[in-house]
Every structure is written in C-alpha cells, then in structure tokens.
Amino acid sequence: MNRIKIDVASALADRRLQATLFPALQRSVESRDEAVSEVENWEELRDYGRRVKLHTLEKLPFYLEKLEKNVVGHGGKVLWAESGEDAVRMILTIARERAVRKVVKSKTMLGEEIHLNQGLLKGGLEVIETDLGEYIVQLCDEMPSHIVTPALHKSRHDVAELFEAKLGMEPTDDVAKLTLTARNVLRRHFLEADLGISGVNFGVAETGTIVVVENEGNARLSTSLPRVHIALMGIEKVIPRTVDLSVLLKLLTRSATGQRLTSYVNLISGPKREGELDGPEEFFLILVDNGRSQIYEDQFLRQTLTCIRCGACQNICPVFQRLGGHAYGTVYQGPIGSILTPQMFPIAAVEEHPFASSLCGACEETCPVKIEIPKILLRLRQQVQEARNHGIQRFRPERIGMLMWAWVVSSSRRYAIASRWLRRLQSVLFRNGRFRPAVPPVSAWQKDRDVPGLAPKRFREYRESEGAEH
Amino acid sequence: MKVSFFSTCLVDQLFPQVGASAVRLLRRLGVEVDCDPRQTCCGQPAFNTGYASEARKVVSHFIRVYRDVETIVVPSGSCAAMIKCHMLDIFPEGSPQYQEVVAIASRTFELSDFLVSELGVVETGARFSGTVTYHDSCHQLRELGISEQPRTLIRGVEGIQFVEMKNSTRCCGFGGTFSVKFPDISAELGRDKLRWIQESKAEYVIANDVSCLMHLDGLLKRERIPVETMHLAELLVK
C-alpha cells in the first residue's frame, strides 16, 4: 500500500503557483456569490437538492435499474463496472471490437479516478483530451489540479510556453490566439476519432437521459461526431426526474462557475435514430461503482455521494487556496477529496488527508447540496486513529499525549496538580516567547509564532488576586 | 439572572485576564456569576483530532460539573460550538449522557450572543479610543451563526473606531491541532489575515476566541507588527 503524503513544502515554495492560485480562486468565489445572490430561494433549492440526492441514494438500485431500462429503450447499451479496472477493460473491448484507433475525450473526473487514459494508451489507442484545461494538463503529462478547472495551476504565460514547445506555436500571451490554436488542433482530432468518451453530470432515470454540462462545445462534438459514444457515469449520479434536473442544474452551474447556465447543456438519449443526421451509431453507458457502494453502507457518511462535483468547496477552502490541487497527490482534492478519497481507498493510504483542514466550515457553507464536510472529516479522523491502534503504533507519541491529557483534564484534582507542575517546568524552559529546548507540538508552533506561555496565575487565582469574591 | 461561567481551559491557563474581564462585564450588567472550581476543558482537542474515547472522558467530567446548572456562558465561539454542536456526536443516541448533553447544550451560550440575544444589551458602558477590527472565528460564525452580536457590542463602545477588514470571515488558520500538524499552512493563512488586518489600518484586532487571538498574536509578535490582539470581553470592560 502506497501512502500518499500531502506535499505542503513544494506548494508553498512554488512562487508561480502562489501568485496565480489565490486570486484565481477568489474570483471564482466572487462570481459564485454573485450568481447565487440573484436566486431568492437559494437556500430552499439547496435543501431540495440535498433531499433529492439523499432520496435517490436510499433507493439507488431502483433508480439505476430504471435508468438502465430507459437507456436501453432508446437503443443504448448499459454496462455495469464494479471496479475501475473493469470499466477500462470494457472500454478496451468495445474499442477493439470496432477497430477504434483514435479516442476523443471530454472531461470526466471518473476517467481520472480509474486512470482511463493510461489504460487506453496501454491498449494501443490514441487518446486526446478535448476540454481545453484537460488538453493543457495532458500536454504536460500532469493531473488535473481542480475538479472543474483542471489547469487552474497554469497561468496564461505557462500555457503560452507549453503551446510553443508542444505545438510549435509563435510565442504569444494572447488568450484568443492560444484558444484558437487549441481549437484548430482539436478540430482535426474530432473529425478523425472513432470513439468519443464523456463523463456524466446527471443521469435522469425517468427518461433515460444523460446530462453533460460544459462550456466549450467539446463535449457535444465528442459525443456526436465519432461513430461510438461511451458515457462513464458513477452510480451516484442518477437522479429521479427531469424536474429534479432543473434544480440541480441551477445549483451546479451557479456554484461551479458562477454561470446562470453553462454555454452547453447536452441531454443525450441514446444513439442516432433512424432518419436523424447527427449522433453516434452506438451509445454505451457504463455505470461505475469503484468503491461507491462501500461509502453507501454508512448512513451518515453516505451523504458524501450526493456531491455534484461543482468544485465550490475547493474554491473557498483556505487550505486549498494555498496548496492547489497537486499537493494532495490524489485525483479528488481539497475538502471533497479529503472526504471522498479516504472512503474509496484503504484509509491508511491517505491518513493525512482528513487532517488537512482547519475545520473552518466554509466548504459546508458553500456546498450546493449541504454536505456536512467538517463532520465527515471528524468521523474520518476517528477512523484513522482507530486504524492506527494496533502494534507499535498504539504507542505513538500523539496518542500517549492524548491519553495523558484526557486523564489529567477529566479530574479537577489532577488538572490542578498538572497546572502547578507545568508552571515549574515552564519557568526553566521558557524565555521570550519560545521554549528551549522544544519538543513537538510546541516546536511546530513556535517555528513561525511566539508562544504565549502559561499565565503565572490561573483564572481563579488571578481573580482572587484582583480581589474578586466568588 | 444567574449564570455559571465556563472559562475554557485556554483562558484558565493562558489568558486569565480574559476570563476575569468577562466575569466583571457580566456582573456589571447585573448578572450573578458563579465559576465552578471543578471546571477543566470541553474536550475539543481530543475530539477534533479523532480521539473519541479520550474526548468522551473529558466531556463526562464536563457533564458532571454542569449537569445541574441553569445557564452556562462561555467566552469562546469554538468551545460553545463544541458543547452545542459536537458533544452529542460522541455519545450513542438515547444514552443517559446523550440526554444530559442535549439539556446542557440548550442552556449554553456564547458570551456575545448571551449579552445581545438574551439580555438585550447594546451598550456595555465601555469607553475606548482606538481603531479596532473584528475577526469572525469560524465555529462561532458557521456553527453557531453568530456574526452581528459581537459587532453590535463593539459599535456600542463609546469613542471607538470600528473598521471591517477584508475577508473577516476567512479562517485565521489556527484550527486546533491543525496548527501543529500542518504548521506551515496554518502560519501562511495567519499571515494572510495579518495582511488584511494591516490593510484595515486597525490598531487592535478583536475576536471572541482566545485560540484565534493566540495564533494571530504569536504571528504578529514574531513578525514585529505593531497591532494588538484583544478579546471582546476585554474591550467591553474598558
């Protein structure tokens, strides 16, 4: 099992990143706030969204089967993948049977989650990301650093350098020229591709429609130009009805990009029908579990699956605003990543992540479906500590410290005695806002901050000395 | 009106003057105040670090001290939120301790909320000449929904200059054990806050949590920035 550490040092030392990240995220937060302020009943919509998603989860098998039935009714095919590897294998089989050579992909975080690109490349296919951000990230062989804006960590200047090196473009900082270049390159790929792969924002059970939200038109081209379209959908993305969609779409686009509606909302119901001019000949919907049903087991933690991947929690999170996505070392990053990833993998692999939060609660406050992220983080912290409680790990300094602390403060007598002893200790070690020598956790604290030190008199004695009566 | 004052462990050990100010303030406003000498801590350090059974031990002691008290006043948004929003999570629903926590939670008030919402206080009779800004501590703001009460009280101080800083609601970066588990991010977030405090031109930063203030003050001192931290209770007895 590979342990994923959060790379704080590199992120904080990266001057370019620190210069672009926070202002960019603050702009996202501001446009989200503005878009939300236009909606009078925003709180009601949030409640509705949360209720719909929780209800769907409660009856998940029912809605998934309904979705399947209706997709099949439109002439689509539905496949069920238990793991990420299963899903990749299914896609490779479909591609092989149809002699596919080139694949165009529109944005799918699930694709990232199951390492789809690597799988397709290994299977001998050419894969092109067509979302501009994803395309940039693919060109530099990196991972997305944000759920919605994958190339968040790149400045316009970075992109110019990249396009110069990889696409032989003339040096320019002109965004219009940069996007035009990408468009010209991508257009060719759209026309040549045999297979288009997309993600799914919502799967409407009642109508068998999948919904793909985007701004660049690349998802529409990826899902309609190639002869085969495969939509990858996490099983938690199903929703009951089209009316629910109207609310969830509002919640999603305003939270994600501060838009009233995205430039394109693709509603896809099966392949091209007789007499239709556009659309793929074949349509596959792959429903992926990949650890989701494990999350589903716990009544409280289940709400993690209501996430609609808007990225608003990432934008507002102070920790994410300083670290960016890559430091987390995981596909899903920031607040949602820190609750999702530990539930999908063995928790010990990402045991740092639930602690990488000051529990400020800004994420929950902004979440369009009111996921109680801080409470979930707290629960996961408990799971991490419990998982550590065997073998030599039981004697870790932190736990010994906590045990001693709890023993002391759960008795007023022991607390009073310890208070006196700590003051004696302090009188020897403490000078001018620092302890010398210092052990953790004090050493971590005083690296950047002065330590207040224990007051000479405790509250009660202090008041006595002030002459207060009790 | 009679209340029991829970000073919190940080005030008890590090900032006793804050507790003393709060008690003086309450008495000045005609409230009878009792301070139970058995009090220790609300258990938050263990709870927030994932040590549930250790937290349970400490909270059990807290329950023993406060089970028979009518009203509890706390000079900290964070500890009040622990009592009102989180203590429930560490006992099984329906257990005797769960029931006791439900009762205690409903009788617990954060200081500024108690003064404004319960007592209807707007002016405490304090006089202070200086420019102050206010930092919203996270748990007080987002878990207890307290934002206007402290501002009302600050505005009620005679002679005061109150300026809002940019991003007053953004976390200062303390976060309890977060500040020692991820000290570099914590300090970075704190320095963001210092920048906004300085931009506001305030001479004092006021908050309702000594934990945030301890973190900010530690950074201010280390960076040699001439801004002072002050707990709301200290300001209101000036």
Side-chain angles (χ1 to χ4, degrees):
Chain A
M1 183 180 60
N2 283 332
R3 233 161 242 200
I4 301 172
K5 300 278 282 176
I6 298 179
D7 189 358
V8 176
S10 308
L12 293 184
D14 186 338
R15 291 218 167 162
R16 262 189 168 182
L17 179 72
Q18 291 300 329
T20 38
L21 193 60
F22 185 39
L25 291 173
Q26 260 198 328
R27 276 194 299 276
S28 301
V29 170
E30 280 162 19
S31 45
R32 175 261 174 209
D33 289 349
E34 206 186 308
V36 164
S37 69
E38 295 175 351
V39 185
E40 249 176 53
N41 59 344
W42 182 253
E43 287 308 308
E44 260 174 77
L45 295 184
R46 286 175 83 202
D47 284 328
Y48 183 89
R50 178 175 170 84
R51 277 206 310 276
V52 165
K53 292 288 281 185
L54 283 174
H55 162 82
T56 317
L57 283 175
E58 261 167 46
K59 305 203 170 350
L60 194 57
F62 169 78
Y63 284 116
L64 284 172
E65 280 168 22
K66 195 165 178 182
L67 176 69
E68 177 184 33
K69 198 180 125 237
N70 289 327
V71 169
V72 170
H74 293 307
K77 298 186 185 84
V78 178
L79 302 169
W80 301 74
E82 199 177 320
S83 67
E85 293 87 62
D86 288 347
V88 174
R89 218 174 299 125
M90 287 168 182
I91 295 174
L92 282 174
T93 308
I94 295 169
R96 211 166 290 135
E97 286 171 1
R98 284 155 189 80
V100 166
R101 287 182 316 271
K102 183 179 273 194
V103 183
V104 282
K105 270 179 73 201
S106 68
K107 213 175 134 23
T108 155
M109 283 310 291
L110 178 53
E112 298 292 334
E113 177 190 321
I114 66 175
H115 309 295
L116 180 58
N117 286 4
Q118 291 92 314
L120 296 179
L121 288 173
K122 244 188 250 165
L125 296 167
E126 190 188 349
V127 189
I128 311 291
E129 293 286 356
T130 63
D131 170 272
L132 182 57
E134 289 281 350
Y135 181 61
I136 290 167
V137 167
Q138 188 188 25
L139 277 184
C140 21
D141 200 19
E142 288 178 359
M143 278 196 337
S145 67
H146 187 278
I147 292 179
V148 175
T149 47
L152 172 73
H153 56 292
K154 299 278 183 217
S155 68
R156 145 196 345 189
H157 188 68
D158 295 330
V159 176
E161 277 178 10
L162 179 73
F163 281 11
E164 201 185 320
K166 298 270 177 168
L167 305 177
M169 192 185 165
E170 295 284 307
T172 177
D173 256 13
D174 185 342
V175 174
K177 278 188 189 153
L178 290 168
T179 46
L180 187 65
T181 301
R183 181 182 298 194
N184 286 334
V185 176
L186 290 173
R187 180 105 349 148
R188 187 170 50 83
H189 291 304
F190 281 124
L191 291 168
E192 291 171 1
D194 320 281
L195 169 63
I197 298 179
S198 74
V200 175
N201 292 99
F202 305 101
V204 185
E206 151 185 89
T207 57
T209 304
I210 63 148
V211 184
V212 182
V213 176
E214 53 145 348
N215 274 315
E216 296 165 19
N218 67 302
R220 183 155 299 177
L221 289 173
S222 305
T223 58
S224 57
L225 273 182
R227 53 193 162 90
V228 186
H229 169 207
I230 300 178
L232 265 181
M233 172 177 152
I235 52 172
E236 82 283 17
K237 291 293 176 73
V238 64
I239 58 170
R241 305 167 302 174
T242 311
V243 271
D244 307 322
L245 178 66
S246 67
V247 175
L248 287 163
L249 262 184
K250 210 176 211 176
L251 289 170
L252 174 62
T253 61
R254 285 179 195 250
S255 299
T257 50
Q259 289 171 289
R260 292 179 186 145
L261 199 60
T262 46
S263 311
Y264 297 83
V265 176
N266 304 289
L267 304 169
I268 301 168
S269 308
K272 176 163 70 178
R273 275 165 241 190
E274 244 187 75
E276 284 181 350
L277 293 173
D278 298 309
E281 289 155 25
E282 284 185 284
F283 169 73
F284 294 88
L285 175 64
I286 304 187
L287 296 167
V288 185
D289 182 328
N290 203 35
R292 285 164 175 73
S293 48
Q294 213 172 292
I295 303 176
Y296 176 79
E297 294 292 313
D298 187 294
Q299 281 282 348
F300 173 73
L301 297 175
R302 182 182 282 186
Q303 57 176 309
T304 310
L305 295 174
T306 61
C307 173
I308 57 174
R309 304 284 190 274
C310 70
C313 64
Q314 300 182 313
N315 299 341
I316 195 99
C317 174
V319 176
F320 188 92
Q321 286 172 348
R322 280 289 155 217
L323 287 186
H326 285 161
Y328 290 84
T330 51
V331 170
Y332 301 105
Q333 306 131 349
I336 185 62
S338 294
I339 62 169
L340 196 54
T341 319
Q343 298 188 69
M344 295 178 66
F345 295 101
I347 198 163
V350 281
E351 59 180 16
E352 264 192 347
H353 292 68
F355 294 92
S357 159
S358 67
L359 300 175
C360 79
C363 46
E364 180 181 346
E365 190 179 42
T366 202
C367 176
V369 290
K370 293 188 166 182
I371 301 175
E372 299 166 286
I373 297 175
K375 280 206 170 189
I376 297 175
L377 287 170
L378 283 166
R379 177 72 79 81
L380 294 172
R381 289 179 183 190
Q382 289 177 23
Q383 288 184 5
V384 168
Q385 303 295 11
E386 279 156 24
R388 280 175 178 166
N389 277 351
H390 47 73
I392 187 84
Q393 278 266 72
R394 265 186 311 174
F395 304 103
R396 62 191 183 277
E398 183 187 87
R399 177 158 184 267
I400 301 296
M402 278 296 173
L403 286 171
M404 281 168 46
W405 171 83
W407 183 73
V408 166
V409 299
S410 55
S411 138
S412 29
R413 204 174 67 88
R414 290 193 289 270
Y415 178 72
I417 295 169
S419 300
R420 282 198 292 279
W421 276 101
L422 283 173
R423 276 167 179 73
R424 274 179 211 167
L425 194 66
Q426 169 171 294
S427 68
V428 184
L429 300 177
F430 186 67
R431 289 279 177 284
N432 301 327
R434 285 178 220 218
F435 278 88
R436 295 219 164 84
V439 289
V442 175
S443 52
W445 175 274
Q446 67 180 19
K447 191 174 143 259
D448 289 296
R449 293 162 283 214
D450 278 12
V451 184
L454 299 173
K457 290 187 173 114
R458 284 178 52 201
F459 172 54
R460 192 181 163 83
E461 300 150 15
Y462 183 92
R463 291 190 52 243
E464 275 163 4
S465 72
E466 267 194 335
E469 81 290 4
H470 285 279
Chain B
M1 175 76 105
K2 191 178 169 181
V3 306
S4 186
F5 183 72
F6 172 50
S7 74
T8 76
C9 61
L10 279 181
V11 163
D12 180 35
Q13 297 289 347
L14 303 163
F15 309 100
Q17 70 282 7
V18 169
S21 301
V23 173
R24 231 183 306 143
L25 173 66
L26 285 163
R27 292 208 170 132
R28 187 193 282 176
L29 296 166
V31 180
E32 206 179 312
V33 187
D34 173 60
C35 304
D36 195 309
R38 296 172 299 162
Q39 61 178 284
T40 60
C41 171
C42 66
Q44 190 175 182
F47 180 68
N48 280 6
T49 318
Y51 290 92
S53 57
E54 284 68 34
R56 211 169 291 131
K57 215 181 228 171
V58 178
V59 172
S60 298
H61 176 74
F62 181 90
I63 294 173
R64 279 196 293 278
V65 175
Y66 289 103
R67 59 164 49 118
D68 298 321
V69 170
E70 205 169 305
T71 306
I72 304 156
V73 174
V74 192
S76 154
S78 192
C79 306
M82 174 69 195
I83 299 164
K84 294 177 82 67
C85 310
H86 295 288
M87 275 190 182
L88 280 177
D89 293 338
I90 53 178
F91 297 109
E93 221 174 307
S95 66
Q97 280 166 314
Y98 185 92
Q99 301 302 341
E100 287 191 298
V101 168
V102 171
I104 289 175
S106 69
R107 302 196 297 255
T108 300
F109 298 89
E110 180 279 324
L111 177 67
S112 72
D113 183 38
F114 178 75
L115 294 180
V116 176
S117 313
E118 293 299 305
L119 300 186
V121 171
V122 176
E123 284 170 14
T124 56
R127 300 174 60 157
F128 186 71
S129 61
T131 308
V132 306
T133 191
Y134 177 73
H135 162 65
D136 286 276
S137 49
C138 297
H139 296 171
Q140 169 164 307
L141 175 71
R142 299 196 183 85
E143 294 185 345
L144 302 177
I146 298 171
S147 156
E148 268 316 301
Q149 297 88 321
R151 289 180 166 81
T152 302
L153 294 168
I154 292 173
R155 286 195 199 97
V157 173
E158 202 186 313
I160 205 165
Q161 259 306 83
F162 177 37
V163 288
E164 290 281 1
M165 71 169 109
K166 220 164 82 185
N167 301 321
S168 72
T169 58
R170 194 199 197 219
C171 179
C172 70
F174 171 66
T177 47
F178 171 77
S179 66
V180 291
K181 278 182 179 286
F182 292 95
D184 294 338
I185 311 175
S186 168
E188 200 62 46
L189 298 180
R191 282 189 286 262
D192 284 342
K193 201 92 209 184
L194 298 195
R195 223 178 36 243
W196 298 320
I197 293 170
Q198 282 179 287
E199 281 171 19
S200 79
K201 304 265 191 292
E203 304 157 273
Y204 301 85
V205 53
I206 312 290
N208 252 356
D209 269 283
V210 290
S211 49
C212 308
L213 291 173
M214 169 174 78
H215 167 70
L216 291 174
D217 192 54
L219 285 164
L220 284 165
K221 291 216 167 90
R222 187 60 64 84
E223 312 262 317
R224 298 174 189 282
I225 297 171
V227 172
E228 284 185 44
T229 55
M230 197 192 287
H231 190 280
L232 181 68
E234 292 176 281
L235 173 68
L236 297 181
V237 289
K238 290 277 178 198

